[in-house]
Amino acid sequence: MAKVNTNEKEAARRENIEQTVSATEKFYNENKKAIWGVLAAIVVIGLGALAYSKFVYQPKCAEAMQQMFPSENAFQAGEYELALNGDGNVLGFAEVISQYGAKAGKSAFLYAGLCEYELGNYEQAISYLKKYNVKDPILGAKALACIGDANVALENYGAAAKAYEAAIAKGDNLFAANYLLKAGLVYEKLGDKAAALKAFKAVKENYPQALESYDIDKYISRVAE
């Protein structure tokens, strides 16, 4: 009896498989032109994307980075206006971004933001720096801290505190001591002595070798009263 049931189940299974194969063949025969058309379109799109990347996008990226070399040199020399806006012969970071966008690489936004900050254009600096979103803990934190500095200059102390906290969280290194000190000073401006004390104590406890730790006690005593 058990053997009969097993044979019946096996026969039913084979019948289901045959029906599935038959249905698949029928669907293919009825729609093979459309199927091959879709496959051909996928291949064409894939080849087109590959060709665009190799012959258009990558050369544009290389061209954009080459255009930035003079501006990078000007930035290193402290010539921020020249670095940002160029001189008519070479492009500044602002024009490189305008012409090439993301092809110039994210560093263009960092450079442009730092130039704007040094020139006292704080809102423009924030706009550029917010577009510099990278995983690098040092440069990413530097950009966030500069956003904080720009907000301090604009007296947007709440936004500055958030930026400094983000910089501290992103870059847990010796630079964080500076960001903590700045955060503490901003919290003082906001009248939040508890938050300021926490930031100053973090400098002393976590970064005792940092320059900011040498006279941190005066800040601690100032807000601990």
Side-chain angles (χ1 to χ4, degrees):
M1 186 69 177
K3 185 174 181 180
V4 172
N5 289 337
T6 302
N7 290 337
E8 288 177 351
K9 289 181 180 178
E10 179 63 21
R13 186 182 70 83
R14 290 180 179 179
E15 184 178 353
N16 288 335
I17 293 172
E18 289 173 359
Q19 288 176 352
T20 301
V21 171
S22 177
T24 302
E25 289 178 348
K26 181 179 179 182
F27 176 83
Y28 171 76
N29 289 330
E30 291 176 351
N31 300 278
K32 59 184 177 182
K33 288 185 178 180
I35 291 171
W36 282 108
V38 170
L39 291 175
I42 291 172
V43 171
V44 169
I45 291 171
L47 291 174
L50 183 63
Y52 174 81
S53 176
K54 184 175 182 180
F55 298 110
V56 179
Y57 186 80
Q58 291 180 14
K60 279 289 184 182
C61 289
E63 181 182 325
M65 287 187 283
Q66 186 175 10
Q67 292 281 6
M68 284 205 307
F69 287 155
S71 294
E72 289 174 356
N73 291 332
F75 180 88
Q76 297 299 332
E79 298 177 334
Y80 302 113
E81 177 69 37
L82 176 61
L84 180 66
N85 297 313
D87 61 1
N89 295 315
V90 296
L91 302 182
F93 294 118
E95 195 168 358
V96 168
I97 291 171
S98 177
Q99 288 193 20
Y100 297 95
K103 297 183 185 72
K106 291 184 178 180
S107 62
F109 294 103
L110 176 62
Y111 277 122
L114 294 176
C115 286
E116 293 282 22
Y117 177 80
E118 294 292 343
L119 294 170
N121 304 321
Y122 303 119
E123 291 182 353
Q124 294 93 322
I126 292 170
S127 178
Y128 277 125
L129 292 168
K130 281 185 175 180
K131 295 174 183 175
Y132 183 71
N133 184 17
V134 296
K135 293 181 180 180
D136 184 273
I138 295 178
L139 293 178
K142 180 178 177 62
L144 289 166
C146 191
I147 290 174
D149 294 344
N151 275 301
V152 168
L154 294 169
E155 299 184 358
N156 297 330
Y157 299 119
K162 289 181 180 179
Y164 290 137
E165 291 288 0
I168 293 161
K170 193 174 189 74
D172 186 14
N173 48 54
L174 281 177
F175 294 108
N178 180 256
Y179 307 151
L180 279 164
L181 179 60
K182 289 181 176 182
L185 294 173
V186 166
Y187 284 128
E188 270 196 279
K189 285 280 190 180
L190 292 169
D192 191 344
K193 288 189 175 182
L197 181 60
K198 181 180 178 181
F200 294 147
K201 281 187 173 180
V203 173
K204 183 174 183 177
E205 294 169 4
N206 299 333
Y207 305 98
Q209 302 303 317
L211 291 174
E212 290 79 6
S213 288
Y214 293 168
D215 57 354
I216 197 66
D217 285 334
K218 74 176 183 182
Y219 296 103
I220 292 174
S221 62
R222 191 167 69 196
V223 296
E225 299 173 354

